[in-house]
Every structure is written in C-alpha cells, then in structure tokens.
Amino acid sequence: MRRESRHMGDTPLGGGPGADTRATTSGDARPVRVLLVDDDPLVCSGLELMLSSAGGIAVVASVGDGDLVVPAVQQHYPDVVLMDVRMPRVDGITATREALAQPNPARVIVLTTFAEDSAVMRAVEAGAAGFLLKTAAPAEIIDAVRRVAAGEGVLSPASVPELFQHVATHPVVSRRRDAATRLTGLTTRERDIVIRVAQGLSNAEVARALFVSEATVKSHLGAVMGSLGCSSRVEVAVLAERAGWLHEDSAVGHAGSAMGR
C-alpha cells in the first residue's frame, strides 16, 4: 500500500493515507482511482463532485497543467486520467504521451470541446483510450471511467458526428485510406461489430445487439485492430466512417436498431 502525499501544487481529492493504490473493476473492493487534469478549477470541482457521488470511484488528485501530470501519476497511482487538451504550459496531448510512457501507465480519457480543440487525431496517436465531450452527461462520464478502467476504449455517442467531421481532413486519415479499403475484406460478423463500434456502442452493448458473448466481441475486435494496424477502437471507427459504412443503406440495415455510443 502507498500513502497519499500533498505537494507539487496538486489537490488530493480522494483516497488518503493507506488507501489501496491500483484500481478495480466494479466487482472489486477497491475503487477506480482517477486523476483530473484541467486548468479550470471549476471543471475539476464539478468532475470531482460527480465522480465521488458514484460508487467504486475515488478522485485521488487534480492538477491544473500538463507538466504536473507525470509527477501526479507517480505520486497517486491513478488508474484513469481525465485529461483536458488545452492548458497553459503543456497541452494534454503531450501530457498523454508522457503519462503513457510511464511504467504500468494509467489509461487516459481526453475531455474535449471539438469547436476549440484541433488535436483529436493526435490524441489517438498518443494512445488515449477514449474521448468525451465536456458536455457529456454525468452518467456517461461515470460509465466511461468504469469501462476504461476495465480495459475498454470509449467513444461517446454524442461525440461521434463531431469526431468524424473533425478528422475528415486530417493527414492521418489520408495515410490510412488504403486501410479503409481493406475493411471490405472483413467477415460479416466483423463488419457488424465494427459498424456498432463506430456508432459508439460498448462491447457489452454490441454483444447484446448481435446476440453473442462479450468475449466474442472482444476477440473479433482485437483481430480487426490487428489486421488493420489500429491501436484503438476510435481508429477503427474512423476507418469505418471513411469507408462509407455508416452512410450506406446496407450498413444501416446491418446496424438496425443499434443506431442509438
């Protein structure tokens, strides 16, 4: 067990002396440990209040700039980092990359306002596990923290249209147009899963929609990501959108009532 300490200009908000240091799934006794990163104290306060009201989540600290993230991670051992993008000294993309380079890194969820932030695809490349709009509902943010702590990626349903619009002209998309073409070689089951992932559904929601096990969804999605060279489900979603799968009548037919994360 590790002890919380109070220095570096951060604000410890949860946990405490003797608190367990690594996070858990909802079935474990230990809480999911969360680090908040935002230069707006009101945002941090609101997130802390929201997450602390949820069972099984403990906000262990907040910091106000990207250069404080690595020291906070080393001190507080969070499982999930909620990361702002625009900050005065070090931006959230750089901070994400640096945090993920640490031993046993926390997983990062980027909180962004697409009207202001132009770094979504750089966050994908940096290894962020998920994306949420700052206007996301409290239940959505709480669910995202739990899912990311459990090893899933997160693509907010509300952020899907903005994400696709935002990345449409990004150079990364152009470099991967050949990968989008390769999507047509996927099996019917893989196609069904990819479409639903691109719509923002969780693994559990995909499993329910297709009447398969969650393990089957994870297995197929892992195979797809490996064959396409994608590091996250967000990249798979972008490729599906660029291939036109979310706009074709046939794709809509595959998706059915899952149009719905």
Side-chain angles (χ1 to χ4, degrees), residues 23-103:
T24 69
T25 62
S26 58
D28 203 329
R30 293 171 295 165
V32 175
R33 297 168 62 83
V34 178
L35 170 67
L36 305 178
V37 184
D38 200 296
D39 61 336
D40 187 338
L42 289 178
V43 171
C44 287
S45 296
L47 288 171
E48 190 274 333
L49 182 63
M50 175 199 311
L51 294 172
S52 295
S53 69
I57 299 176
V59 178
V60 295
S62 68
V63 296
D65 214 316
D67 57 348
L68 300 175
V69 172
V70 169
V73 167
Q74 293 172 340
Q75 178 181 351
H76 297 288
Y77 300 91
D79 303 287
V80 177
V81 178
L82 288 181
M83 182 83 72
D84 189 19
V85 173
R86 293 181 181 271
M87 290 177 284
R89 296 188 299 271
V90 174
D91 66 83
I93 306 305
T94 300
T96 295
R97 188 176 294 109
E98 293 175 349
L100 294 177
Q102 300 302 303

Side-chain angles (χ1 to χ4, degrees), residues 32 42 60-61 79 81 109 113 136 155 197 201 208 212 238 243 251:
V32 175
L42 289 178
V60 295
D79 303 287
V81 178
I109 300 174
T113 303
L155 182 60
V197 166
L201 274 66
R208 288 194 296 271
V212 298
V238 169

Side-chain angles (χ1 to χ4, degrees), residues 154-243:
V154 173
L155 182 60
S156 165
S159 71
V160 169
E162 290 89 346
L163 173 62
F164 290 150
Q165 181 178 5
H166 188 80
V167 304
T169 59
H170 194 279
V172 170
V173 175
S174 297
R175 292 199 300 268
R176 292 182 177 173
R177 290 185 188 278
D178 60 329
T181 300
R182 294 205 308 275
L183 284 171
T184 58
L186 299 183
T187 66
T188 299
R189 176 65 75 200
E190 289 170 339
R191 178 188 175 96
D192 288 343
I193 290 171
V194 166
I195 288 172
R196 286 167 170 79
V197 166
Q199 291 164 349
L201 274 66
S202 67
N203 289 348
E205 290 167 336
V206 174
R208 288 194 296 271
L210 298 179
F211 303 99
V212 298
S213 70
E214 191 170 347
T216 296
V217 173
K218 291 179 180 178
S219 177
H220 280 300
L221 184 56
V224 169
M225 290 170 60
S227 66
L228 296 175
C230 295
S231 62
S232 73
R233 67 197 291 125
V234 178
E235 290 185 74
V236 172
V238 169
L239 294 181
E241 195 278 339
R242 294 306 301 166

Side-chain angles (χ1 to χ4, degrees), residues 85-86 93 112-122 166 170:
V85 173
R86 293 181 181 271
I93 306 305
T112 181
T113 303
F114 286 92
E116 299 175 358
D117 297 331
S118 59
V120 178
M121 286 305 297
R122 287 193 293 125
H166 188 80
H170 194 279

